[in-house]
């Protein structure tokens, strides 16, 4: 099976050096698997890939802002360009901007301040999205993170609405500081 796949990828590499997509598929080898969907990288272009669908080979291109890495699940087997390592392959990441979206597909902060939301662009249309409760959007990692990871940019107390006590409680609550005594007593008793 592995030698069949290696031969297929080598044959695709030779045909890829040829030129246009239609000419590329003329005389191309058959897909190694007759059933299912398999995606194979283009040997020189990170924007392109080959798709075998139930034994039928097609040449595909990722949408603007996306690149092929074999793991992409954003759209049509492609991933966000900032998440793909193309190595020495040719890459075209020229933005095709629209209002609210730098690329046709992408994730962007919704403000210049600490925010619990972000903009997710699909086909050049911006859609507001929210982080899970208690998280904020981090433009560096393109993910939602705990606000204390972005200090001094974010104030966790403002985002979460909670402030840790600065001194031990007094009165009845002091019995449970810093942890419930009942748990402490059971744990200590079990060790003896």
């Amino acid at each position: 099976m592995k030698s069949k796949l290696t031969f297929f990828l080598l044959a695709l590499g030779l045909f890829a050096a040829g030129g246009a997509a239609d000419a590329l598929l003329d005389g191309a080898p058959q897909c190694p698997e007759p059933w299912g969907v398999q995606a194979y990288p283009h040997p020189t272009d990170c924007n392109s890939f080959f798709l075998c669908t139930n034994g039928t080979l097609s040449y595909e291109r990722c949408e603007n802002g996306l690149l092929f890495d074999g793991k992409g699940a954003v759209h049509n087997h492609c991933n966000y360009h900032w998440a793909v390592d193309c190595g020495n392959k040719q890459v075209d990441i020229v933005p095709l901007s629209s209002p609210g979206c730098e690329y046709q597909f992408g994730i962007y902060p919704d403000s210049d301040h600490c925010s619990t939301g972000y903009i997710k662009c699909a086909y050049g249309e911006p859609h507001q999205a929210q982080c899970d409760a208690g998280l904020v959007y981090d433009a560096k990692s393109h993910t939602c993170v705990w606000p204390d990871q972005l200090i001094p940019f974010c104030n966790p107390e403002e985002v979460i609405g909670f402030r840790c006590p600065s001194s031990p409680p007094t009165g009845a609550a002091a019995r449970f500081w810093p942890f419930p005594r009942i748990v402490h007593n059971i744990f200590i008793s079990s060790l003896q």
Side-chain angles (χ1 to χ4, degrees):
M1 172 64 196
K2 189 169 182 161
S3 63
K4 215 176 178 183
L5 179 61
T6 304
F7 172 75
F8 175 73
L9 292 175
L10 282 171
L12 277 179
L14 293 173
F15 282 103
D22 293 338
L24 174 70
L25 297 178
D26 287 341
Q30 292 184 351
C31 293
E33 298 291 325
W35 307 108
V37 178
Q38 302 89 32
Y40 300 100
H42 189 283
T44 59
D45 184 8
C46 206
N47 295 82
S48 304
F49 61 99
F50 297 98
L51 191 65
C52 286
T53 307
N54 293 327
T56 303
L57 178 67
S58 63
Y59 172 82
E60 305 286 329
R61 254 184 101 66
C62 295
E63 298 282 344
N64 181 252
L66 304 176
L67 296 172
F68 182 79
D69 67 352
K71 301 174 243 167
V74 175
H75 176 71
N76 192 25
H77 305 281
C78 298
N79 208 343
Y80 293 116
H81 68 87
W82 43 263
V84 177
D85 179 13
C86 291
N88 294 331
K89 290 185 180 183
Q90 176 185 341
V91 176
D92 177 17
I93 53 171
V94 175
L96 296 176
S97 300
S98 60
C101 299
E102 182 180 4
Y103 292 92
Q104 297 297 296
F105 282 82
I107 300 177
Y108 310 100
D110 66 355
S111 75
D112 293 336
H113 307 292
C114 181
S115 177
T116 58
Y118 57 95
I119 303 294
K120 187 173 185 176
C121 293
Y123 298 104
E125 292 184 22
H127 301 279
Q128 183 70 36
Q130 290 295 313
C131 294
D132 289 336
L135 302 180
V136 294
Y137 181 75
D138 179 15
K140 280 186 180 178
S141 66
H142 302 279
T143 60
C144 294
V145 298
W146 295 109
D148 60 341
Q149 292 177 270
L150 299 178
I151 292 174
F153 182 68
C154 282
N155 181 351
E157 293 172 6
E158 288 178 11
V159 174
I160 297 173
F162 173 79
R163 181 180 180 138
C164 292
S166 57
S167 61
T170 57
R175 292 183 12 211
F176 302 104
W177 182 267
F179 43 78
R181 298 260 190 247
I182 188 164
V183 173
H184 175 69
N185 291 341
I186 291 172
F187 180 70
I188 297 299
S189 302
S190 68
L191 293 176
Q192 296 174 349

